[in-house]
Amino acid sequence: MNRLISIELQKIWKNKASRVLTLTYFILLSFIALIASIKFDIGPIHIDPSEMGIFNFPFIWHFNTYFAAWLKFFLAIVIVSMMANEYSYGTLKQNLIDGLSKKEFILSKFLTVVLFALGSTVFVFIMTLILGYSFSSYTEFGIVFSELQYLLAFFVKLLGFFSFCLFLGILVKRSAFALGFLLVWIFIESIIKGLLVFQIFPESNIGYKIIQFLPLEAMSNLIVEPVSRLSLIKSIGTQMGVENTKDYGVHFLSILIVLVWTFLFIYFSYKLLKKRDL
């Protein structure tokens, strides 16, 4: 297993574009900390994110994992390119000639996906602790670690998304087309969501219950946007007569759906590679 991971990491690190994108991803993750230094005025209103409770425990787990997840597209490019380069440079065929089985090949790619997801999660965990202990009004142990489920949701979300990107890289073979297909799929899910929620079932939540099983929608449901959870936003909504009934929790069903999709993406990646004439 260590040998397989080592092979993949060497391929990524020796590719300049992949190396730059990977480093850029982790650098941008650390930029979330810069939000704490942003202070500005809108007329008589003074806005200071650190005073709004954004960096308070346990809310910061929700906030950081949600916004960090938006940066996953940088590693998505790396993963898609990682697979496309196997075809372009002929390394896939060479690996098979050297004795690597197709099962081991897919396993090496999946282990790389797991490593990226796990590395991102650990990075966000450390960064959140540093920010939280620097700015949070609550530092009791029970409060600090009371919402770690968002870290689990973050890991599962990245695992599912990166597995999807790996599948597209094998399916399409070209990184540009694979990323294009990803954008098309995002558009397709948006259309399905619009039809089910606003056209077919406009007066019930049946549409939402159906679309929760779509892959990208399931990943999105793992971590709901946190901004409307802030006390300031809630008080503004209350003054405007808007009742906030949003569920911000991390649910087992959402995690299970994404894990099932992750298994299917890896399984069909292997099946596709097994049947394909290389």
Side-chain angles (χ1 to χ4, degrees):
M1 186 175 294
N2 291 335
R3 178 177 66 91
L4 297 178
I5 295 177
S6 176
I7 291 173
E8 294 306 318
L9 291 181
Q10 285 182 35
K11 291 178 183 177
I12 292 172
W13 193 250
K14 288 181 179 179
N15 184 285
K16 184 177 180 180
S18 296
R19 185 169 66 249
V20 170
L21 283 170
T22 302
L23 292 175
T24 301
Y25 168 76
F26 285 102
I27 291 172
L28 288 176
L29 274 182
S30 64
F31 278 4
I32 293 178
L34 293 179
I35 298 175
S37 63
I38 298 175
K39 298 177 180 64
F40 57 93
D41 297 320
I42 302 178
I45 302 175
H46 177 70
I47 296 180
D48 184 348
S50 62
E51 294 179 356
M52 293 172 61
I54 289 177
F55 299 111
N56 275 343
F57 286 120
F59 175 78
I60 189 173
W61 297 111
H62 188 180
F63 181 85
N64 279 4
T65 52
Y66 176 79
F67 284 101
W70 282 97
L71 299 174
K72 63 184 180 291
F73 291 97
F74 282 90
L75 285 187
I77 298 173
V78 174
I79 291 169
V80 168
S81 300
M82 173 181 72
M83 196 58 239
N85 289 340
E86 296 285 358
Y87 292 103
S88 301
Y89 300 146
T91 50
L92 169 56
K93 187 176 292 185
Q94 186 61 50
N95 285 155
L96 297 178
I97 293 174
D98 291 340
L100 197 69
S101 69
K102 291 183 177 180
K103 185 176 181 179
E104 287 178 320
F105 179 82
I106 291 296
L107 179 60
S108 69
K109 298 300 181 185
F110 178 64
L111 289 175
T112 305
V113 164
V114 172
L115 187 62
F116 273 143
L118 184 60
S120 301
T121 304
V122 172
F123 190 91
V124 170
F125 172 74
I126 295 173
M127 182 182 66
T128 301
L129 283 180
I130 294 173
L131 282 173
Y133 275 112
S134 299
F135 297 100
S136 179
S137 303
Y138 315 101
T139 55
E140 293 82 0
F141 185 86
I143 295 177
V144 169
F145 298 102
S146 62
E147 293 190 5
L148 285 182
Q149 66 269 22
Y150 288 105
L151 270 181
L152 173 62
F154 179 72
F155 171 75
V156 173
K157 185 172 187 172
L158 294 190
L159 185 65
F161 185 73
F162 294 158
S163 296
F164 185 32
C165 293
L166 177 61
F167 170 70
L168 293 180
I170 294 176
L171 178 67
V172 183
K173 293 185 180 182
R174 296 289 184 272
S175 56
F177 290 114
L179 292 172
F181 188 92
L182 175 61
L183 294 176
V184 170
W185 186 256
I186 293 174
F187 184 65
I188 290 174
E189 284 202 15
S190 299
I191 293 176
I192 295 173
K193 182 177 181 178
L195 289 174
L196 289 174
V197 174
F198 301 109
Q199 295 293 326
I200 302 176
F201 304 106
E203 298 179 359
S204 69
N205 62 349
I206 296 177
Y208 287 105
K209 289 184 178 180
I210 295 174
I211 63 173
Q212 70 176 328
F213 293 99
L214 297 175
L216 295 182
E217 183 68 19
M219 296 172 201
S220 177
N221 289 339
L222 283 172
I223 307 176
V224 180
E225 63 82 21
V227 176
S228 58
R229 185 182 168 189
L230 287 168
S231 299
L232 176 63
I233 304 300
K234 283 185 177 180
S235 62
I236 293 175
T238 301
Q239 292 174 12
M240 297 176 62
V242 178
E243 184 181 359
N244 186 0
T245 59
K246 186 173 290 187
D247 183 1
Y248 298 100
V250 176
H251 300 287
F252 175 75
L253 179 60
S254 299
I255 291 177
L256 180 61
I257 293 172
V258 175
L259 289 178
V260 169
W261 275 113
T262 301
F263 170 79
L264 291 175
F265 290 142
I266 300 303
Y267 175 78
F268 286 117
S269 295
Y270 171 64
K271 287 295 183 181
L272 192 61
L273 188 66
K274 189 176 180 180
K275 292 183 179 180
R276 181 171 287 168
D277 184 13
L278 303 176

